[in-house]
Amino acid sequence: MVGTLGAMASTEPTLFDQVVNLCKRRSFVFPSAEIYGGFRSTYDYGPLGVLMLRNVKDAWWRSMVQLRSDVVGLDAAILSPPKVWEASGHLDNFSDPLVDCTSCKTRHRQDQLEDADTCPSCGESGTFTEARAFNLMFKSQAGPVEGAGADVYLRPETAQGTFINFKNILETSRKKPPFGIAQIGKSFRNEITPGNFVFRTREFEQMELEFFVPPAEADSWYEYWMNERYQWYLNLGIPADQLRLRAHDDDELSHYSSGTSDIEFLFPWGWGELEGIANRGDFDLTQHAQHSGQKLEYFDQGTGERYVPHCIEPAAGATRSMMAFLMAAYDEEQVNDDTRTVLRLHPQLAPYKVAVLPLSKKDTLLPKAEEVLHSLQPHFMCDYDITQAIGKRYRRQDEIGTPYCVTIDFDTLEDNAVTVRERDSMEQQRIPVDNLVAYLNEQLAL
Ligand code: GAP
């Protein structure tokens, strides 16, 4: 039984509270600059969070790059000159409509107000100023002299770094449409209403694929990527009843898109976007070609055809997906007189795959336990825990989602076998140390 969803009138902690508490308590995610009172909307990923976030990104990279022959990778710069953002349309279009309440001096996003005329902070009506567009990009200056440097922007998406490298990659990678360029990295948006933990932050990580196709194939590739990406979340353990694909209405479409569908997760406060799959047409390559004066097109030597490829873009949030995976995996169950908290994470996402636990701290067991640990470490991310009763240590591993615990006991010294306990069923098996790596590899199927 997990906690209640959302903010119901109850003293029971909500699922949201339970996951946020677990993240802090077990070093997944800490509020940033906490010793200075915190810095709103930025978070630091602790020892377990950094492992899990890396696993989310690795799972994406594996499915989008490693297992395909039509996608290559890229890691473009975070800082870029205004020209890039003029061409992309972000300087003109990437903004939210803001209103100020003249009574209580609070600022709100007009499109998120429940009642367009009433201030949600003070309850006054008719006190809003005219809406003003507020650009979400962070701007800075490059150069040693304050005020005299060139303007630069922190990228609000990784995608533009990909479009401006299209020519480089086409000329050097021997790829031809349909082919894609995948990128994972930090993006920055000066969000007006950050919140819901790491759901909406000002600094976050994206996993974006720009897939370039012959124009006539754009619709079928759009369908293809919607299905592929939806399946990816299911394969990694998000239950089907907490996941949906939702097509954007025309008035929701971004300036570049002729069709977008979101993959949404049922968060405690309602459905929220994990990923957008957009049919960007030839908008980006055409814009950058016009602004840079470079030809960004493909010449098919076979057919003699020259065209600007269309782009299908599956754009996901790594940090936001990690939060969804945590929420979907969180469970509490009654075991005898005890409540067990267990993160039923897919093994690929679990921070540690295996925990090595000597039954006691006695000197006689520790050398063998360390020997087993060292034999596993080259193969799996392992935890090693020697303190407190074995039952408590099992619970500690359940709570962070470790799929297997390996216990070294006094019999191990005689029979060279260990007890392997599985997280979800709590079933235990005796396995010879010599077969342990093969056994765990088979069970984890990473
Ligand atoms: N290149 C297209 C693009 O950036 P987006 O829908 O604005 O599209 C893609 O962003 C994904 O990035 C979102 O689905 C979400 O998962 C993540 N994302 C966007 N803004 C975010 C924020 N402020 N905090 C955390 N994740 C965010």
Side-chain angles (χ1 to χ4, degrees):
M1 221 327 256
V2 295
T4 55
L5 291 183
M8 290 177 202
S10 159
T11 51
E12 231 184 290
T14 62
L15 172 61
F16 180 80
D17 296 334
Q18 286 165 321
V19 171
V20 174
N21 289 343
L22 178 76
C23 281
K24 174 80 196 289
R25 188 159 37 84
R26 298 307 313 272
S27 76
F28 280 84
V29 182
F30 304 124
S32 202
E34 211 178 7
I35 61 167
Y36 292 102
F39 181 50
R40 191 169 167 235
S41 127
T42 51
Y43 290 90
D44 299 337
Y45 289 74
L48 295 191
V50 72
L51 291 176
M52 182 170 171
L53 185 57
R54 181 174 290 214
N55 292 341
V56 171
K57 293 184 284 185
D58 284 350
W60 187 89
W61 193 264
R62 182 180 158 79
S63 92
M64 304 299 263
V65 183
Q66 186 180 335
L67 298 180
R68 305 185 65 97
S69 49
D70 57 0
V71 175
V72 292
L74 175 72
D75 189 0
I78 286 172
L79 296 178
S80 39
K83 280 189 160 197
V84 172
W85 308 107
E86 268 163 41
S88 70
H90 282 80
L91 275 175
D92 285 340
N93 298 310
F94 196 58
S95 58
D96 284 336
L98 275 194
V99 289
D100 290 312
C101 173
T102 50
S103 174
C104 71
K105 313 290 179 214
T106 53
R107 181 167 285 178
H108 305 273
R109 262 180 73 168
Q110 191 187 40
D111 56 336
Q112 287 185 343
L113 291 171
E114 262 180 33
D115 172 354
D117 210 31
T118 307
C119 174
S121 301
C122 66
E124 295 279 324
S125 286
T127 53
F128 285 138
T129 57
E130 287 286 302
R132 287 171 304 117
F134 173 80
N135 196 287
L136 297 181
M137 282 195 295
F138 280 102
K139 188 176 178 183
S140 189
Q141 296 242 311
V145 182
E146 205 177 312
D151 285 348
V152 290
Y153 289 92
L154 271 66
R155 65 180 179 199
E157 60 173 18
T158 62
Q160 298 306 320
T162 300
F163 296 124
I164 61 177
N165 276 289
F166 172 81
K167 190 170 186 285
N168 282 337
I169 291 175
L170 192 69
E171 286 172 358
T172 57
S173 72
R174 303 179 60 81
K175 295 286 174 210
K176 58 182 225 165
F179 83 102
I181 304 172
Q183 192 171 181
I184 297 178
K186 287 226 167 172
S187 293
F188 304 82
R189 296 182 189 177
N190 197 1
E191 299 279 5
I192 297 149
T193 49
N196 284 334
F197 194 41
V198 297
F199 180 82
R200 181 171 286 106
T201 49
R202 296 201 171 109
E203 176 180 344
F204 54 96
E205 272 193 276
Q206 290 188 307
M207 311 182 287
E208 297 197 292
L209 173 72
E210 311 307 319
F211 199 75
F212 300 99
V213 302
E217 296 176 21
D219 288 345
S220 57
W221 280 109
Y222 176 55
E223 289 292 322
Y224 168 87
W225 280 113
M226 275 195 289
N227 295 330
E228 279 289 297
R229 296 302 306 146
Y230 184 78
Q231 199 57 46
W232 185 79
Y233 293 95
L234 287 181
N235 292 347
L236 287 174
I238 304 264
D241 61 354
Q242 292 175 35
L243 199 65
R244 73 175 187 190
L245 255 172
R246 187 185 66 81
H248 279 206
D249 294 331
D250 284 351
D251 61 355
E252 278 180 276
L253 292 176
S254 310
H255 59 278
Y256 51 74
S257 171
S258 62
T260 299
S261 289
D262 286 344
I263 297 175
E264 296 183 335
F265 175 70
L266 188 54
F267 284 98
W269 59 89
W271 291 100
E273 174 190 338
L274 294 180
E275 167 158 358
I277 297 104
N279 183 348
R280 299 180 75 121
D282 62 3
F283 176 83
D284 304 275
L285 291 182
T286 304
Q287 285 291 109
H288 285 298
Q290 275 169 8
H291 283 74
S292 66
Q294 303 275 329
K295 278 196 176 131
L296 300 181
E297 56 190 25
Y298 175 68
F299 176 62
D300 188 331
Q301 286 180 332
T303 62
E305 198 190 353
R306 186 180 293 281
Y307 62 87
V308 179
H310 283 205
C311 178
I312 308 301
E313 178 197 63
T319 38
R320 194 180 280 186
S321 305
M322 173 173 148
M323 182 177 171
F325 286 122
L326 283 169
M327 298 228 152
Y330 189 94
D331 195 13
E332 286 183 1
E333 68 176 5
Q334 206 60 31
V335 181
N336 303 324
D337 294 338
D338 191 22
T339 304
R340 168 172 101 116
T341 300
V342 52
L343 274 188
R344 299 189 192 279
L345 287 173
H346 188 286
Q348 251 182 293
L349 302 183
Y352 295 121
K353 314 303 177 201
V354 186
V356 176
L357 314 173
L359 189 63
S360 99
K361 265 200 271 188
K362 289 224 165 66
D363 289 350
T364 36
L365 282 189
L366 294 191
K368 185 67 188 173
E370 281 168 25
E371 184 192 313
V372 172
L373 174 71
H374 294 146
S375 74
L376 296 178
Q377 277 173 324
H379 306 275
F380 314 106
M381 192 73 215
C382 297
D383 195 12
Y384 182 57
D385 188 359
I386 60 172
T387 53
Q388 292 191 311
I390 191 72
K392 281 212 164 132
R393 280 182 278 162
Y394 283 150
R395 291 287 182 275
R396 280 211 290 268
Q397 296 300 329
D398 291 341
E399 195 180 50
I400 59 172
T402 309
Y404 289 94
C405 290
V406 168
T407 304
I408 289 87
D409 56 26
F410 292 99
D411 287 344
T412 309
L413 303 179
E414 306 299 324
D415 64 3
N416 202 33
V418 290
T419 300
V420 178
R421 173 193 181 266
E422 197 269 333
R423 177 195 68 201
D424 294 343
S425 63
M426 296 185 279
E427 273 173 14
Q428 303 192 357
Q429 294 222 38
R430 199 77 185 156
I431 304 291
V433 169
D434 292 343
N435 298 350
L436 194 55
V437 169
Y439 175 81
L440 289 169
N441 261 325
E442 199 184 317
Q443 298 299 311
L444 288 162
L446 293 172

